């Protein structure tokens, strides 16, 4: 899962990877059987918590994520990790 930073989108944050390292990107997609996704989320007017909730609602039950983030995307990932840790340890959401 690719999660971009503030005032940008997935393409402007991660797009250069496709242009500069196409073979590595191909290897990444192959390693994940083509299941590499991105969260294009609003960075103004929505909190990282709201962005994380948007992602969680779109995931199938029991989904396991590997995250690559930049800037504010790291805040979204932190929310996901903190909540997942609480749930996994028997705490509530």
């Amino acid at each position: 899962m690719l999660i971009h930073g503030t005032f940008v989108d997935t393409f402007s944050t991660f797009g250069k990877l496709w242009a500069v390292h196409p073979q590595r990107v191909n290897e990444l997609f192959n390693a994940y059987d083509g299941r590499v996704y991105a969260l294009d989320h609003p960075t103004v007017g929505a909190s990282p918590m709201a962005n994380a909730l948007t992602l969680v609602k779109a995931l199938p039950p029991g989904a396991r994520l590997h995250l690559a983030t930049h800037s504010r995307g790291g805040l979204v990932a932190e929310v996901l990790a903190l909540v997942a840790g609480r749930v996994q340890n028997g705490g509530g959401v």
Side-chain angles (χ1 to χ4, degrees):
M1 178 62 60
L2 306 173
I3 308 176
H4 64 79
T6 306
F7 302 122
V8 293
D9 58 16
T10 299
F11 180 77
S12 63
T13 301
F14 298 101
K16 195 170 183 180
L17 289 173
W18 276 256
V20 177
H21 303 286
Q23 181 58 35
R24 298 294 289 180
V25 171
N26 189 44
E27 291 169 9
L28 175 71
F29 274 70
N30 286 337
Y32 285 96
D33 293 326
R35 295 171 299 173
V36 177
Y37 300 96
L39 174 66
D40 271 321
H41 58 94
T43 62
V44 176
S47 70
M49 179 74 77
N51 296 145
L53 185 57
T54 296
L55 175 56
V56 168
K57 287 180 179 180
L59 294 171
R64 182 175 178 189
L65 298 178
H66 293 175
L67 304 170
T69 69
H70 180 261
S71 186
R72 186 180 190 276
L75 296 175
V76 177
E78 181 179 27
V79 169
L80 290 169
L82 289 171
V83 172
R86 286 186 64 195
V87 170
Q88 187 175 29
N89 292 322
V93 175

